Amino acid sequence: MRDLKAKRREASPGSDGAGEEGAGGLKGRVLFMGAASFLLLGGLAYRAYHLQVNEQAKLKGMAQDQYVRQIPVPARRGDIFDRRGIPFAQSVEVDSVWVDPSELKDVRAAAKELARVLKLDAAELHTRIQRARRFAWVKRQVKQG
């Protein structure tokens, strides 16, 4: 039993210089962690200030664009019936053809082929496609068949 008490006394901070060195190391680590935490919180506070004050107008505009947007939803026209209940006039949905000129490798060949299939003027279609950057109507209200 005495040996255990003696060993405890040797390991205590006041018995030799090793204990004091350990306490100084602990103090340094605490100061280092405190400084690192202070810098981290300071960085977060600066970022919050920057976003809320300097970037406020830009971020407010971006948020408003996400939430406030008017999208027209076209209504389908109703059918008109005669007195016997037979449809007299109806709306007919038709397809339209368009191209993205930036995706075409050869605009002249594409215009020539589309003009042939859709029975259009190839030169006029080529100039229309060439003028556009990302979208060009080829023909609207194309009938199938």
Side-chain angles (χ1 to χ4, degrees), residues 21-133:
E21 202 173 278
L26 180 65
K27 185 178 180 182
R29 279 183 266 167
V30 168
L31 286 175
F32 174 77
M33 290 304 292
S37 298
F38 181 75
L39 286 174
L40 181 66
L41 288 174
L44 289 173
Y46 171 76
R47 180 71 175 151
Y49 172 81
H50 179 73
L51 288 174
Q52 292 180 8
V53 176
N54 297 341
E55 300 286 327
Q56 178 188 15
K58 176 184 162 190
L59 294 174
K60 189 175 184 179
M62 288 170 59
Q64 200 155 17
D65 284 345
Q66 287 180 350
Y67 291 107
V68 179
R69 199 174 275 175
Q70 292 182 356
I71 301 173
V73 180
R76 187 180 181 288
R77 298 179 96 182
D79 296 335
I80 300 173
F81 299 97
D82 66 4
R83 65 182 179 177
R84 294 181 305 235
I86 299 172
F88 186 68
Q90 294 178 317
S91 295
V92 178
E93 291 187 25
V94 292
D95 294 321
S96 296
V97 179
W98 61 275
V99 295
D100 182 352
S102 65
E103 297 284 325
L104 295 175
K105 291 180 183 174
D106 186 6
V107 175
R108 186 172 300 281
K112 193 179 283 188
E113 182 66 21
L114 284 168
R116 184 185 64 78
V117 171
L118 298 172
K119 297 174 182 70
L120 298 172
D121 180 33
E124 191 270 329
L125 182 59
H126 178 260
T127 56
R128 192 175 345 142
I129 291 174
Q130 209 169 22
R131 270 188 275 140
R133 290 188 180 158

